[in-house]
Amino acid sequence: MMTTDPERLFASLPTLDPEANARLHARLVAAAERDGILDVAYRTIDTPVGPLLLAATEQGLFRVAYAREDHDAVLARLASVVSPRILHAPGRLDEVSRQFEEYFDRRRRTFDVPLDFRLSRGFRREVLAHLPEIGYGHTSSYAEVAAAAGSPRAVRAVGTACATNPLPVVVPCHRVVRSDGSFGGYVGGPDAKRALLTLEAAA
């Protein structure tokens, strides 16, 4: 009976070369971009509110996700509802990343990047379209946002739109608070909402 030493077996396998893998990945991304088959590019960035996942189509940024949302789960959902042709391709998101850095350094008050709102529809999209009108360093209540969106009684729907906002920070749902001034919910969690409002108030 022939036996095989597992350590000798694994030792015979080729050594992983991170640089070679990186070059191969870069060629794959370049080829996908060239052939028009890179539907979704993504990257992660480190921020004061934790790592954020950024994802963009050719039309623009369409997803920003907090770590508490589970980045792997977010990517899997994007692959199933948008396109399976999704790659870690940081280059497409260089400008977005730069603007995030400027925002957290208090050198930017608004984001100026193309946005793809395909993940929001109907009244939720109307709410998101209004949110950038809430000035940096200011807040509005859910009731005020509902009125501004043309449906004064849709306070709960505004809360749902904010809770499902696919573009937090860039589309500033963190500036929407309860009528009594308390924070209310937030997709990134209460600590992230507090951090963003504190950052803007201090600028």
Side-chain angles (χ1 to χ4, degrees):
M1 179 177 179
M2 184 175 179
T3 60
T4 303
D5 182 349
E7 290 186 7
R8 291 180 60 188
L9 177 62
F10 284 111
S12 68
L13 295 174
T15 303
L16 291 176
D17 183 344
E19 292 185 3
N21 286 344
R23 290 193 298 271
L24 180 61
H25 183 80
R27 287 200 296 271
L28 175 63
V29 170
E33 289 272 23
R34 182 192 65 233
D35 296 340
I37 59 173
L38 177 53
D39 293 337
V40 179
Y42 74 90
R43 74 184 293 174
T44 56
I45 59 172
D46 291 324
T47 77
V49 291
L52 294 178
L53 171 73
L54 311 178
T57 63
E58 289 188 344
Q59 286 71 45
L61 181 70
F62 83 120
R63 191 69 169 92
V64 176
Y66 283 92
R68 74 197 306 259
E69 298 178 76
D70 185 345
H71 290 171
D72 288 340
V74 170
L75 290 172
R77 177 162 174 73
L78 295 181
S80 68
V81 303
V82 179
S83 171
R85 300 192 298 195
I86 179 169
L87 280 174
H88 180 254
R92 183 183 286 181
L93 292 142
D94 281 347
E95 177 60 20
V96 178
S97 300
R98 182 182 68 80
Q99 292 195 21
F100 265 95
E101 181 178 351
E102 292 174 350
Y103 170 80
F104 284 110
D105 284 344
R106 299 195 181 100
R107 294 182 287 120
R108 172 175 292 275
R109 296 191 170 205
T110 60
F111 287 83
D112 182 23
V113 294
L115 302 178
D116 181 344
F117 282 100
R118 73 177 65 191
L119 296 177
S120 295
R121 296 182 177 84
F123 183 68
R124 293 183 184 182
R125 184 164 178 172
E126 292 178 25
V127 170
L128 298 186
H130 169 72
L131 296 185
E133 298 175 14
I134 306 172
Y136 183 99
H138 296 80
T139 59
S140 288
S141 70
Y142 292 98
E144 290 170 336
V145 173
S151 300
R153 296 183 180 179
V155 176
R156 183 167 294 180
V158 168
T160 300
C162 290
T164 57
N165 177 11
L167 293 164
V169 186
V170 177
V171 176
C173 58
H174 60 276
R175 296 176 191 159
V176 184
V177 298
R178 291 176 177 156
S179 297
D180 63 4
S182 59
F183 286 167
Y186 184 58
V187 63
D191 290 343
K193 188 168 188 174
R194 181 179 296 105
L196 295 176
L197 292 175
T198 299
L199 177 147
E200 295 182 3

